[in-house]
Amino acid sequence: MKTLRKNFYLVMMFLMTLVVSTSCSKDGDAFDAIYHSLFVTCDFFIDGLDTIYEHYDAFGYRAKDTSDGKYTVTPIGRLIIVEKKSYDDSTSLSSIVNALKSHYSGNSKVNDVFLNNGGTITIDCRN
């Protein structure tokens, strides 16, 4: 009887842990669906900061468009510039900045994400 009760409690604890872990979502999860291609393109440049730029000068790597065609990402040294290609949709630049800040909040390579006066977004990865 004790073994049955013990197994019951273990199964219940497992189910509760499963429910809690799947029901809690990060704020970034909503951003991931909307800005996935932007994150992938920016991640390419940020993850390669220590390897790509050892072989290229600041202007040696060209701009890259996101897979959805909505943004152009340009590395300039350790600054990464994000430019919105179309202003037709309802996505505001401030929401893109918030999404990028949320995405890179735990990344030690990214110091800041901010909106420039010219309508572009800068991801600052300077040391």
Side-chain angles (χ1 to χ4, degrees):
M1 187 69 160
K2 285 186 178 186
T3 308
L4 182 61
R5 182 177 287 165
K6 184 178 177 182
N7 287 341
F8 175 75
Y9 286 125
L10 286 174
V11 169
M12 290 306 292
M13 290 299 293
F14 173 75
L15 290 175
M16 287 176 47
T17 305
L18 184 65
V19 167
V20 169
S21 66
T22 58
S23 65
C24 297
S25 67
K26 299 184 321 184
D27 291 337
D29 291 345
F31 290 137
D32 285 343
I34 299 169
Y35 300 108
H36 177 73
S37 63
L38 177 61
F39 292 159
V40 168
T41 307
C42 292
D43 287 348
F44 169 77
F45 290 115
I46 291 171
D47 291 343
L49 281 174
D50 298 328
T51 57
I52 291 173
Y53 296 126
E54 289 176 1
H55 305 292
Y56 295 98
D57 62 312
F59 300 100
Y61 212 83
R62 294 188 175 190
K64 187 174 180 180
D65 288 338
T66 58
S67 61
D68 62 3
K70 292 182 180 180
Y71 308 98
T72 300
V73 181
T74 308
I76 300 176
R78 295 187 72 87
L79 297 175
I80 297 169
I81 310 301
V82 177
E83 181 180 0
K84 190 174 177 183
K85 292 177 80 172
S86 172
Y87 290 92
D88 299 357
D89 61 359
S90 63
T91 307
S92 69
L93 290 173
S94 61
S95 66
I96 299 168
V97 169
N98 291 336
L100 288 168
K101 282 184 179 183
S102 173
H103 183 70
Y104 293 116
S105 64
N107 192 327
S108 62
K109 292 182 182 181
V110 177
N111 295 324
D112 195 12
V113 178
F114 55 90
L115 182 63
N116 295 318
N117 289 337
T120 60
I121 299 164
T122 298
I123 302 171
D124 182 1
C125 300
R126 294 176 290 185
N127 294 337

